[in-house]
Amino acid sequence: MAAEKGEEKLIAAVRHIAKTLGRTETMADDILQIFSTFDGRLSREKLSEKQLDDASLASSDVADGDDRLSLSSIDRTLRSLDRQISRFAASERLIWSDSADASAFLEAVDHLLAKIHDLDTPAPGNKLLLDRADHVLQKCMLRLEDEFRSLIDRSGLPLDPAATGSSPFYSEGEDSDSDDGPVPLAHPVTDYDLVIDALPPGTVSDLHEIARRMAAAGFGRECVEVYAPSRRDFVEESVARLGLRPRTAEEVQGTPWGVLEEEIARWIKALNMVFRILIPSERRLCDRIFAGLPPFVDLAFAMVSRAPAIQLLSFAEVVAIGSRAPDRLFRVVDMYEAVRDLIPDLDPIFSDQYSTYLRKEAATVSKSLAAAIRGIFVELENLIRRDPARAAVPGGGLHPITRYVMNFLRAACSFRRTVEEAMEDDAGTPVPPDPDRPSSSMAVQIAWLMDVLQGNLEEKSKIYREPSLSCIFLMNNGRYIIQKVRDSELGVLLGGEWIRRQMARVRRWGSDYQRATWSKVITVLRTDGASGSSSVAAKAMRERLRIFNAYFGEIYRAQTRWVVADEQLRAELRISVSELVLPVYRNFLGRYRNLAETGKHAEKYAKYSAEDVEAGIGELFEGTGKRS
């Protein structure tokens, strides 16, 4: 026991001498080597195994007697690696500008990581070496970050649509919201079935080698944080080149609709470009650079794609919750179709834990746009109900609300399958039923709007003083509605039975017009009450003829100013009036002329011949306002 303590004191004295005389670690190591040749108790292993720290002088030999390197050997290796790595880290020239330097640097990093792995045990004496190795590792990682960033930045340029088969960029118009001059736009791209190699294959390989080392050193997250901003900037600048810039919700909702329509058209192109080309390309790039490095491959992709994806989807969300004015329907339908068609393609791209919420966000936006489509039809109903019955349309012609609603619905039918799908989405129907059936959601909605419009027109007809003009107004608008339904897919949705009911309404209004206008005329021309002596009968018939002349003149003056725009309806009305009036009038004139008392003065009281009445009826509803 005393001998062991004496040996320990001797070894401690020799180490103290080496430490005092050696100005550097290398000199001290050389002095210890000289002492080891004089005395077997001063072997190199005994002198060096505790040189790391006074507190570790009592440590034992390396456990289990395996063939590991001694701590002193690891220490020398670390010092050598430190000198080598420090030289690379201090270089102002990029290491990856020379392939030989890059290989040497990576080899040094690999060696360092191997030594750290060797020291990663709770054996005595390892802590100080690990601290020194970690210090060297920090220098490595900082330099690798710089090299990684430099490789990405000098290789990644914003997407040029010329690379996708379209023409180069061009400028079109001025950006009213910016002083930066014309907005750079891209010609349309129609082929989205492609993936772009945003970085050269050699660069991708170099980046993968760096990422692999950083992940192995526990710096995978730091590598991702260097990678993501650069690639995100690439995608965002590519979106800007497609004519879109980040906008706040207030800016979007405050944009005039005409300007917003143009932006929506650009948005649809950008949506397809970003989600079908740019983001899949970034997915593949991440898979290559971070190959075999989960979860960093998914984390990097999510950090790159999140902001551009959210920017585009947020724009659609803002439009969806904005104004529900009916004239916005067609652009909202375009947006809904674009997002809907995109969703199936997002499943394989956004399937990892970090980006799956983007797929859910796209589905949410699709539902918001579907709700906007339904809301627009509700707003159309409100617009019809709010349209006031104040000023009468001159001549009982077509009301603007009728033209607006019918043209809107005709145009909406060109998207009927999409609109039907959006309406069924509210009920949670997984597969939209046949939209051609009269009982479909869209058909029911349109039939309801027709009823609301009809009720509104009937209220408006009441502001006319003449009941007959009210009938003309209803016939004009009812006939227009039938024409628009027959000449479009509205007829498919509403069905033949609805059309027949509407035609019956128009015929009823025609009968009401005849009664309101011509029943008093027919009553005057009846001769069944003209009995008695010839003189009395002649006098009675002259009075009736005078009343007829007054009635017919009044009707002619008024109803030549009235309007029946549809030629067929106008002809039908004239024919029905002629068939009602002319036979009775001819019969009346014949009876009147046969009376002896009328004599040669018969024509004096008959102001209108049958031909005159027929011609006058033929001039009704022209809107000309002729004099009788």
Side-chain angles (χ1 to χ4, degrees), residues 480-520:
Y480 182 84
I481 290 171
I482 292 173
Q483 286 178 335
K484 291 297 182 181
V485 170
R486 277 178 166 174
D487 296 344
S488 69
E489 295 179 2
L490 284 169
V492 176
L493 288 172
L494 294 174
E497 180 60 29
W498 187 93
I499 295 175
R500 286 190 289 273
R501 289 199 304 269
Q502 186 68 14
M503 292 175 65
R505 277 182 173 179
V506 174
R507 288 194 296 271
R508 186 179 73 247
W509 292 325
S511 299
D512 292 345
Y513 159 77
Q514 286 189 358
R515 284 194 298 271
T517 301
W518 298 102
S519 60
K520 62 182 181 181

Side-chain angles (χ1 to χ4, degrees), residues 7 63 75 192 194 199 240 246 304 327 399 405 487 492 523 611-612:
E7 184 177 328
D75 181 51
Y192 296 106
L194 55 90
L199 297 177
V304 169
D327 56 351
H399 198 280
V405 171
D487 296 344
V492 176
T523 301
E611 291 72 17
D612 292 337

Side-chain angles (χ1 to χ4, degrees), residues 436-447:
D436 290 342
R437 78 186 196 286
S439 59
S440 70
S441 295
M442 186 175 182
V444 171
Q445 179 68 56
I446 289 178

Side-chain angles (χ1 to χ4, degrees), residues 16 28 38 61 65 72 91 112 153 184 189 225 233 251 340 367 409 411 427 447 505 527-528 552 595 624:
H16 178 71
F38 290 107
D61 292 336
S72 61
S91 175
L112 176 62
D153 291 344
V189 176
E225 290 174 352
D233 290 346
E251 288 174 335
R340 176 203 64 193
K367 288 186 175 294
L409 293 178
R505 277 182 173 179
T527 59
D528 50 357
F552 186 77
L595 291 175
T624 56

Side-chain angles (χ1 to χ4, degrees), residues 1-14 41-42:
M1 189 72 176
E4 290 178 0
K5 290 184 178 181
E7 184 177 328
E8 287 179 3
K9 290 181 179 180
L10 176 61
I11 291 173
V14 171
R41 294 175 299 173
L42 302 178

